[in-house]
Amino acid sequence: PISSTPRTFVMLSKISPSSAARGIRNFNTKIFEKKTVSLADRTETIVVGGRDKFHLLPQAFEGVKQIGVLGWSSQGPAQAMNLRDSLEGTGIKVSVGLREGSASMEKAAAAGFSRDDGTLGEMYDVASKSDMTLLLISDAAQANTYPKLFQHLKKGSTLGLSHGFLLGILNNRGEKFPDGVDAVAVCPKGMGPSVRRLYEQGKSVNGAGINCSFAVEQNATGMAVERALGWGVGIGAPFIFETTMRDEYVSDIFGERSVLLGAVHGIVEFLFRHFVANGASKEDAFKRTAESITGPITQMVSHNGLLSVYDSFEGAEKREFEVAYSAAYHPLMEVLMEIYDDVKSGRELDSVIDAVSRHGQYPMTTIDDTQTWRVGETVRAARTSAQRPVCPTTAGVYLACMQAQADLLIANGHSYSEVANESIIEAVDSLNPYVDFRGIAYMIDNCSIVARLGARKWAPRFDYLLMQQAGPKLEKGEVDEGLITAFKENKLHQIMSVCAALRPSVDISPVAGQHGVRD
Amino acid sequence: PISSTPRTFVMLSKISPSSAARGIRNFNTKIFEKKTVSLADRTETIVVGGRDKFHLLPQAFEGVKQIGVLGWSSQGPAQAMNLRDSLEGTGIKVSVGLREGSASMEKAAAAGFSRDDGTLGEMYDVASKSDMTLLLISDAAQANTYPKLFQHLKKGSTLGLSHGFLLGILNNRGEKFPDGVDAVAVCPKGMGPSVRRLYEQGKSVNGAGINCSFAVEQNATGMAVERALGWGVGIGAPFIFETTMRDEYVSDIFGERSVLLGAVHGIVEFLFRHFVANGASKEDAFKRTAESITGPITQMVSHNGLLSVYDSFEGAEKREFEVAYSAAYHPLMEVLMEIYDDVKSGRELDSVIDAVSRHGQYPMTTIDDTQTWRVGETVRAARTSAQRPVCPTTAGVYLACMQAQADLLIANGHSYSEVANESIIEAVDSLNPYVDFRGIAYMIDNCSIVARLGARKWAPRFDYLLMQQAGPKLEKGEVDEGLITAFKENKLHQIMSVCAALRPSVDISPVAGQHGVRD
């Protein structure tokens, strides 16, 4: 029964797993050069990639005659092609493995992989012949196929993931990676098409590429670290930092539910209604929200950091930014904390499994037929080369989300490199340029199943919390000076500037029809 | 990383617990009369209560000298006062137990419970002196205090719950009720104030009261069934049906997240925007949504069932209802299935525990300061005695929600009695009359912590799914004839009419300041 009780808050002990069990290991490599970087109050150790390191790959892959790349959705084509290019002339074969009868066989063949020379085949067969097997099929498919795949891995081979998701599934089920093989992850902080695109740009601009994290969960061969680093360098990462598989999947699953997709969706829906309710035309409201975020705000953050957006405003506009930031930070943080707890506890992954099992009855539908996105299509179609507006209210809310997300990840012990990449760099350097090209609704309707489910689940929560809490505060127009000072003096800005210095600021020019993004 | 994958749906095996493990036990009673009722294609066994059964209570409570009622929020005062009235002259003492220093001590004293005659005291002390202890403190507080309470229960006593929540917590933690005591539940299908109010009305109209389910989870004394039934009869239930504690908490936690609170909130927000976007004034939009649901639609369903609403429309209005029902049923079902899975798996309760633990940092805020509810305050304040409108679109969406919820519970093996009560009777006979009096936002801001968290979590999901899927269909104006036929011919109507015949159709007249509903 629903009972009416006084508004008192009972504190219960948290039962989610302790974060104290986690922690960054300090890796050793005899092949690549480690570099220590000062990030605010910490130092972190990274490996710098680049084409001038490609000559080290044969050493890193010692004992590896074939790298099997399983899957051809997003990361699969990008990583298979990048590795093939980087390993040209070394004698190490890159072979693509797909489901027998997969429609992607033709696409892989068109990209030059061939059954005749053994660089294309059935996935379990490719796995059983590979010394390193990169499992790049969708998360949902991984959850379904891993028991069979594990049986096909060679003893002494290395299983590679580009995402810790499978570890989350194994944890929830009380299972482990198979004995006698390495389990490593190299996780590009961007979609597959960006990984390929920036690699190609890297041919003229050394160091252009998508940053990666790497993790060694199981080191059976003793060579897991070198192989993982070789993999990261081989796909073109300019900058590789260490994490754990657990930290990686928690921050990744969390990130796509928040600032990368879910929060952006919810923020735009809330602000769109807010501006319309306050007299803006629908077209203008869309320009001030979605168009502002994925266009100029993204570019300013990418090129010069969060503070450059704030510093670009003066007078009344600066105050408008501050009001919006003050109104939005706490409600956003409230949702972010809930997402983080749901991911950390394993509930979010469990719910994904259940959701996918319901798709037989209710397949996933699209979100793009609502007023906001229909207006958006019109606005986007009529874009001109003229300067697009930077709305101070939208900037305040969006940057509050980035800052809150970074604050939360730091409080939960993630490495600063991971925080900067998951909260900001992946958004402004990899995802948002595509979103700007395709539209937010399109992106949410066409990303991975796990990400789509997360964006649908959490966007409405961001929207409602903002509507209920930030809306009234926007009306009142008050500034929380403490929050603004904390933003201006935040260590995140120094962290970001160091991370930015580690790669050239290459703009991504999305191309229609590129691998993984459907027309 | 977020990857773009083709829109294929991978079926994963469900890992949530099997529902086959559940099942209704057929109870035996030597004291009360069992009655078999035909509910559509099943028969179910119930006990009919009423004042003419009160003389059986001493037999049912054989060996019970004191009943301790712990808590004074919603169910506590109602059940303590009803039991005291029903047991007058039997020598069985009803004693209220509260936290030492609780502000409710005064309220209980004002209701005639007294330290001097041993009918009021500290909760653990009262429990240790009681032969039957009814734990009616909030769910959140139960999760915190049960280990200590269990130590204070007398061997051979009966622990009574009005909600299976605690079993859910014990299940999640791998624990059990203590040995040597009964564990039973009697669960009124309405808030405490309704339980008291209808009991008082029952003095003049025999059989007026709130229906209850009952469950026996552990029968250490061999008398658990009789004590539970005595308890149900004693608090005035006109009609008591059997369930399991697990089915009860699943359907209850599910129900408050859906048609009772979460869905109503989301439906009203979506339709309010929909009507305003189509030219209605805000005031008119509020009248067509919230005012229509909690007023006339609720009364019609309560008096004459779901079909009476449908039958009240003709011509274009009937078509409008059918379009809305057709547009809304599937998106609502999609959210309902997700809620049900989350509750059944234990994830929802786990997330409640985590949410409460975050309240130290972010206390729960209110939802009532948004445009919808501000307009609502104005509209509600200006209510006249004139007939309130029944909007066909709103009726179509709301009834689709009730029907979808009933369909889902039936598919998951709940007893028809439970389905009718959780999906419809609790809404129209107990909750909505209060909601009509107080407003939806007030209700959501003042119900139990578990219900508040659930309403906040799921309302936005109902809203978004309706906006994304039902919105475009409302525009197209199509009718799904199959859905409408399934609605018209649904067995739910016969089930409802039998359940309705088992109690007088007493309207609840909410009174400000009554127990548990704050002013």
Side-chain angles (χ1 to χ4, degrees), chain B residues 442-482:
Chain B
Y442 179 90
M443 194 68 218
I444 288 177
D445 282 338
N446 289 277
C447 58
S448 75
I449 291 174
V450 178
R452 290 174 72 187
L453 285 166
R456 276 140 211 278
K457 182 171 181 174
W458 294 101
R461 301 292 311 286
F462 283 105
D463 180 343
Y464 264 54
L465 261 281
L466 287 170
M467 172 175 74
Q468 290 159 357
Q469 292 181 53
K473 285 187 181 167
L474 286 177
E475 279 181 35
K476 289 197 190 97
E478 289 165 10
V479 172
D480 182 332
E481 297 293 350

Short mmCIF file of all heavy atoms in Angstrom, two decimals, chain B residues 442-482:
data_model
loop_
_atom_site.label_atom_id
_atom_site.label_comp_id
_atom_site.label_asym_id
_atom_site.label_seq_id
_atom_site.Cartn_x
_atom_site.Cartn_y
_atom_site.Cartn_z
N TYR B 442 0.99 16.79 -4.95
CA TYR B 442 1.02 16.68 -3.49
C TYR B 442 1.15 15.23 -3.07
O TYR B 442 1.92 14.87 -2.18
CB TYR B 442 -0.25 17.29 -2.88
CG TYR B 442 -0.27 17.16 -1.37
CD1 TYR B 442 0.27 18.16 -0.57
CD2 TYR B 442 -0.76 16.02 -0.76
CE1 TYR B 442 0.30 18.03 0.80
CE2 TYR B 442 -0.74 15.88 0.62
CZ TYR B 442 -0.21 16.89 1.40
OH TYR B 442 -0.16 16.75 2.75
N MET B 443 0.37 14.39 -3.73
CA MET B 443 0.38 12.96 -3.37
C MET B 443 1.78 12.38 -3.58
O MET B 443 2.30 11.66 -2.73
CB MET B 443 -0.64 12.23 -4.25
CG MET B 443 -0.95 10.84 -3.77
SD MET B 443 -1.85 10.85 -2.18
CE MET B 443 -1.07 9.43 -1.40
N ILE B 444 2.37 12.70 -4.72
CA ILE B 444 3.70 12.14 -5.02
C ILE B 444 4.75 12.71 -4.08
O ILE B 444 5.71 12.03 -3.73
CB ILE B 444 4.05 12.39 -6.50
CG1 ILE B 444 3.18 11.47 -7.36
CG2 ILE B 444 5.53 12.16 -6.78
CD1 ILE B 444 3.33 11.63 -8.84
N ASP B 445 4.56 13.92 -3.64
CA ASP B 445 5.54 14.52 -2.72
C ASP B 445 5.33 14.09 -1.27
O ASP B 445 6.12 14.44 -0.40
CB ASP B 445 5.47 16.05 -2.80
CG ASP B 445 6.21 16.57 -4.03
OD1 ASP B 445 7.07 15.85 -4.55
OD2 ASP B 445 5.92 17.70 -4.47
N ASN B 446 4.23 13.37 -0.98
CA ASN B 446 3.94 13.06 0.42
C ASN B 446 3.64 11.60 0.71
O ASN B 446 3.25 11.27 1.83
CB ASN B 446 2.76 13.92 0.89
CG ASN B 446 3.18 15.38 1.02
OD1 ASN B 446 3.74 15.79 2.03
ND2 ASN B 446 2.94 16.15 -0.02
N CYS B 447 3.80 10.72 -0.27
CA CYS B 447 3.57 9.30 0.02
C CYS B 447 4.86 8.69 0.57
O CYS B 447 5.79 9.39 0.93
CB CYS B 447 3.06 8.59 -1.23
SG CYS B 447 4.17 8.70 -2.63
N SER B 448 4.89 7.39 0.68
CA SER B 448 6.05 6.74 1.31
C SER B 448 7.31 6.94 0.49
O SER B 448 7.25 7.19 -0.71
CB SER B 448 5.79 5.24 1.46
OG SER B 448 5.92 4.60 0.20
N ILE B 449 8.45 6.82 1.13
CA ILE B 449 9.73 7.03 0.44
C ILE B 449 9.88 6.08 -0.74
O ILE B 449 10.29 6.48 -1.83
CB ILE B 449 10.90 6.84 1.43
CG1 ILE B 449 10.91 7.99 2.43
CG2 ILE B 449 12.23 6.77 0.68
CD1 ILE B 449 11.93 7.82 3.55
N VAL B 450 9.51 4.83 -0.52
CA VAL B 450 9.65 3.84 -1.60
C VAL B 450 8.76 4.21 -2.78
O VAL B 450 9.17 4.12 -3.94
CB VAL B 450 9.33 2.42 -1.09
CG1 VAL B 450 9.43 1.41 -2.22
CG2 VAL B 450 10.26 2.04 0.05
N ALA B 451 7.53 4.65 -2.49
CA ALA B 451 6.60 5.03 -3.55
C ALA B 451 7.04 6.32 -4.23
O ALA B 451 6.97 6.45 -5.46
CB ALA B 451 5.19 5.18 -3.00
N ARG B 452 7.54 7.28 -3.44
CA ARG B 452 7.99 8.54 -4.02
C ARG B 452 9.15 8.30 -4.98
O ARG B 452 9.20 8.85 -6.08
CB ARG B 452 8.46 9.51 -2.92
CG ARG B 452 7.32 10.05 -2.08
CD ARG B 452 7.86 10.87 -0.92
NE ARG B 452 8.40 12.15 -1.40
CZ ARG B 452 9.05 13.00 -0.61
NH1 ARG B 452 9.28 12.70 0.65
NH2 ARG B 452 9.49 14.14 -1.09
N LEU B 453 10.10 7.49 -4.53
CA LEU B 453 11.25 7.19 -5.39
C LEU B 453 10.77 6.54 -6.69
O LEU B 453 11.25 6.85 -7.77
CB LEU B 453 12.23 6.26 -4.66
CG LEU B 453 13.08 6.94 -3.59
CD1 LEU B 453 13.76 5.89 -2.72
CD2 LEU B 453 14.13 7.85 -4.24
N GLY B 454 9.82 5.62 -6.56
CA GLY B 454 9.33 4.91 -7.74
C GLY B 454 8.59 5.83 -8.69
O GLY B 454 8.76 5.73 -9.92
N ALA B 455 7.76 6.71 -8.16
CA ALA B 455 7.00 7.62 -9.02
C ALA B 455 7.94 8.55 -9.78
O ALA B 455 7.77 8.82 -10.97
CB ALA B 455 6.01 8.42 -8.19
N ARG B 456 8.97 9.06 -9.08
CA ARG B 456 9.94 9.94 -9.73
C ARG B 456 10.74 9.22 -10.79
O ARG B 456 11.12 9.78 -11.81
CB ARG B 456 10.97 10.42 -8.69
CG ARG B 456 10.53 11.59 -7.93
CD ARG B 456 10.97 11.41 -6.49
NE ARG B 456 10.01 12.05 -5.63
CZ ARG B 456 10.02 13.34 -5.39
NH1 ARG B 456 10.96 14.09 -5.89
NH2 ARG B 456 9.09 13.87 -4.65
N LYS B 457 11.04 7.95 -10.53
CA LYS B 457 11.87 7.19 -11.45
C LYS B 457 11.11 6.85 -12.72
O LYS B 457 11.67 6.91 -13.81
CB LYS B 457 12.32 5.90 -10.75
CG LYS B 457 13.24 5.01 -11.54
CD LYS B 457 13.76 3.91 -10.62
CE LYS B 457 14.72 2.97 -11.32
NZ LYS B 457 15.28 2.02 -10.35
N TRP B 458 9.83 6.48 -12.58
CA TRP B 458 9.14 5.90 -13.74
C TRP B 458 8.22 6.87 -14.47
O TRP B 458 7.97 6.67 -15.67
CB TRP B 458 8.39 4.64 -13.30
CG TRP B 458 9.35 3.56 -12.88
CD1 TRP B 458 9.69 3.21 -11.61
CD2 TRP B 458 10.16 2.74 -13.75
NE1 TRP B 458 10.63 2.21 -11.62
CE2 TRP B 458 10.94 1.90 -12.91
CE3 TRP B 458 10.29 2.63 -15.13
CZ2 TRP B 458 11.84 0.96 -13.43
CZ3 TRP B 458 11.18 1.69 -15.64
CH2 TRP B 458 11.95 0.88 -14.79
N ALA B 459 7.71 7.89 -13.79
CA ALA B 459 6.82 8.84 -14.49
C ALA B 459 7.47 9.38 -15.77
O ALA B 459 6.84 9.40 -16.83
CB ALA B 459 6.42 9.98 -13.56
N PRO B 460 8.74 9.82 -15.70
CA PRO B 460 9.35 10.36 -16.92
C PRO B 460 9.45 9.32 -18.04
O PRO B 460 9.40 9.66 -19.22
CB PRO B 460 10.76 10.77 -16.47
CG PRO B 460 10.74 10.79 -14.98
CD PRO B 460 9.64 9.90 -14.53
N ARG B 461 9.59 8.06 -17.66
CA ARG B 461 9.68 7.00 -18.69
C ARG B 461 8.34 6.82 -19.38
O ARG B 461 8.27 6.61 -20.59
CB ARG B 461 10.14 5.69 -18.05
CG ARG B 461 11.50 5.75 -17.35
CD ARG B 461 12.62 5.94 -18.34
NE ARG B 461 12.52 5.00 -19.44
CZ ARG B 461 12.80 3.70 -19.35
NH1 ARG B 461 13.25 3.19 -18.23
NH2 ARG B 461 12.68 2.93 -20.40
N PHE B 462 7.24 6.82 -18.61
CA PHE B 462 5.91 6.75 -19.23
C PHE B 462 5.72 7.93 -20.16
O PHE B 462 5.27 7.79 -21.30
CB PHE B 462 4.82 6.74 -18.15
CG PHE B 462 4.64 5.43 -17.45
CD1 PHE B 462 5.10 5.22 -16.16
CD2 PHE B 462 3.99 4.37 -18.09
CE1 PHE B 462 4.93 4.01 -15.51
CE2 PHE B 462 3.82 3.14 -17.44
CZ PHE B 462 4.30 2.96 -16.14
N ASP B 463 6.08 9.12 -19.67
CA ASP B 463 5.92 10.33 -20.46
C ASP B 463 6.66 10.22 -21.79
O ASP B 463 6.09 10.41 -22.87
CB ASP B 463 6.45 11.51 -19.61
CG ASP B 463 6.33 12.85 -20.31
OD1 ASP B 463 6.15 12.89 -21.54
OD2 ASP B 463 6.44 13.89 -19.63
N TYR B 464 7.94 9.88 -21.74
CA TYR B 464 8.75 9.85 -22.96
C TYR B 464 8.26 8.78 -23.94
O TYR B 464 8.22 9.00 -25.14
CB TYR B 464 10.22 9.61 -22.62
CG TYR B 464 11.04 10.88 -22.52
CD1 TYR B 464 10.64 11.92 -21.69
CD2 TYR B 464 12.20 11.06 -23.27
CE1 TYR B 464 11.39 13.08 -21.59
CE2 TYR B 464 12.96 12.22 -23.18
CZ TYR B 464 12.56 13.23 -22.34
OH TYR B 464 13.29 14.38 -22.25
N LEU B 465 7.94 7.59 -23.42
CA LEU B 465 7.49 6.54 -24.34
C LEU B 465 6.19 6.97 -25.01
O LEU B 465 5.98 6.74 -26.21
CB LEU B 465 7.30 5.21 -23.61
CG LEU B 465 8.41 4.17 -23.71
CD1 LEU B 465 8.38 3.41 -25.02
CD2 LEU B 465 9.79 4.75 -23.49
N LEU B 466 5.29 7.59 -24.24
CA LEU B 466 4.04 8.08 -24.83
C LEU B 466 4.33 9.18 -25.85
O LEU B 466 3.78 9.19 -26.95
CB LEU B 466 3.11 8.61 -23.73
CG LEU B 466 2.46 7.54 -22.85
CD1 LEU B 466 1.77 8.18 -21.64
CD2 LEU B 466 1.44 6.71 -23.65
N MET B 467 5.22 10.10 -25.48
CA MET B 467 5.55 11.20 -26.39
C MET B 467 6.14 10.66 -27.70
O MET B 467 5.78 11.11 -28.79
CB MET B 467 6.56 12.13 -25.70
CG MET B 467 7.15 13.21 -26.58
SD MET B 467 8.22 14.36 -25.64
CE MET B 467 9.69 13.35 -25.34
N GLN B 468 7.03 9.67 -27.58
CA GLN B 468 7.73 9.17 -28.76
C GLN B 468 6.88 8.23 -29.61
O GLN B 468 7.01 8.20 -30.82
CB GLN B 468 9.03 8.46 -28.33
CG GLN B 468 10.07 9.44 -27.80
CD GLN B 468 11.12 8.78 -26.92
OE1 GLN B 468 11.06 7.60 -26.65
NE2 GLN B 468 12.09 9.57 -26.47
N GLN B 469 6.02 7.46 -28.95
CA GLN B 469 5.25 6.47 -29.71
C GLN B 469 3.78 6.80 -29.83
O GLN B 469 3.19 6.67 -30.89
CB GLN B 469 5.41 5.09 -29.06
CG GLN B 469 6.82 4.53 -29.18
CD GLN B 469 6.90 3.16 -28.53
OE1 GLN B 469 6.11 2.28 -28.84
NE2 GLN B 469 7.83 2.99 -27.63
N ALA B 470 3.14 7.19 -28.71
CA ALA B 470 1.70 7.46 -28.77
C ALA B 470 1.43 8.80 -29.44
O ALA B 470 0.44 8.94 -30.18
CB ALA B 470 1.11 7.43 -27.37
N GLY B 471 2.30 9.78 -29.22
CA GLY B 471 2.08 11.12 -29.79
C GLY B 471 1.87 11.07 -31.30
O GLY B 471 0.83 11.52 -31.80
N PRO B 472 2.82 10.51 -32.04
CA PRO B 472 2.62 10.43 -33.50
C PRO B 472 1.36 9.65 -33.89
O PRO B 472 0.71 10.00 -34.87
CB PRO B 472 3.89 9.71 -33.97
CG PRO B 472 4.92 9.99 -32.92
CD PRO B 472 4.16 10.06 -31.63
N LYS B 473 1.00 8.64 -33.11
CA LYS B 473 -0.20 7.86 -33.45
C LYS B 473 -1.48 8.64 -33.17
O LYS B 473 -2.48 8.46 -33.86
CB LYS B 473 -0.20 6.54 -32.68
CG LYS B 473 0.79 5.53 -33.25
CD LYS B 473 0.67 4.18 -32.58
CE LYS B 473 1.70 3.22 -33.18
NZ LYS B 473 1.83 2.00 -32.38
N LEU B 474 -1.46 9.46 -32.13
CA LEU B 474 -2.63 10.31 -31.87
C LEU B 474 -2.86 11.23 -33.07
O LEU B 474 -3.99 11.48 -33.47
CB LEU B 474 -2.42 11.15 -30.60
CG LEU B 474 -2.52 10.42 -29.26
CD1 LEU B 474 -2.22 11.38 -28.11
CD2 LEU B 474 -3.89 9.78 -29.06
N GLU B 475 -1.76 11.74 -33.63
CA GLU B 475 -1.89 12.61 -34.80
C GLU B 475 -2.49 11.88 -35.99
O GLU B 475 -3.32 12.41 -36.71
CB GLU B 475 -0.51 13.13 -35.22
CG GLU B 475 -0.03 14.31 -34.40
CD GLU B 475 1.33 14.80 -34.89
OE1 GLU B 475 1.59 14.75 -36.11
OE2 GLU B 475 2.14 15.20 -34.04
N LYS B 476 -2.04 10.63 -36.18
CA LYS B 476 -2.52 9.86 -37.35
C LYS B 476 -3.98 9.46 -37.17
O LYS B 476 -4.70 9.27 -38.15
CB LYS B 476 -1.66 8.61 -37.54
CG LYS B 476 -0.26 8.93 -38.04
CD LYS B 476 0.43 7.69 -38.62
CE LYS B 476 1.91 7.95 -38.89
NZ LYS B 476 2.78 7.49 -37.79
N GLY B 477 -4.42 9.29 -35.93
CA GLY B 477 -5.84 9.03 -35.67
C GLY B 477 -6.31 7.63 -36.04
O GLY B 477 -7.48 7.43 -36.32
N GLU B 478 -5.40 6.66 -36.00
CA GLU B 478 -5.81 5.30 -36.37
C GLU B 478 -6.29 4.50 -35.15
O GLU B 478 -5.86 4.72 -34.04
CB GLU B 478 -4.63 4.56 -37.01
CG GLU B 478 -4.30 5.09 -38.40
CD GLU B 478 -2.93 4.63 -38.89
OE1 GLU B 478 -2.32 3.76 -38.23
OE2 GLU B 478 -2.47 5.17 -39.91
N VAL B 479 -7.18 3.54 -35.43
CA VAL B 479 -7.69 2.65 -34.38
C VAL B 479 -7.18 1.24 -34.63
O VAL B 479 -7.22 0.74 -35.75
CB VAL B 479 -9.24 2.65 -34.36
CG1 VAL B 479 -9.77 1.59 -33.41
CG2 VAL B 479 -9.76 4.03 -33.99
N ASP B 480 -6.66 0.61 -33.59
CA ASP B 480 -6.25 -0.79 -33.66
C ASP B 480 -7.44 -1.64 -33.22
O ASP B 480 -7.68 -1.83 -32.03
CB ASP B 480 -5.04 -1.00 -32.75
CG ASP B 480 -4.49 -2.42 -32.80
OD1 ASP B 480 -5.27 -3.36 -33.09
OD2 ASP B 480 -3.29 -2.60 -32.53
N GLU B 481 -8.19 -2.14 -34.20
CA GLU B 481 -9.45 -2.82 -33.89
C GLU B 481 -9.22 -4.03 -32.98
O GLU B 481 -10.03 -4.33 -32.11
CB GLU B 481 -10.16 -3.27 -35.18
CG GLU B 481 -10.59 -2.13 -36.10
CD GLU B 481 -11.68 -1.24 -35.52
OE1 GLU B 481 -12.27 -1.61 -34.47
OE2 GLU B 481 -11.94 -0.15 -36.09
N GLY B 482 -8.12 -4.72 -33.21
CA GLY B 482 -7.83 -5.90 -32.38
C GLY B 482 -7.68 -5.54 -30.91
O GLY B 482 -8.19 -6.22 -30.02
#
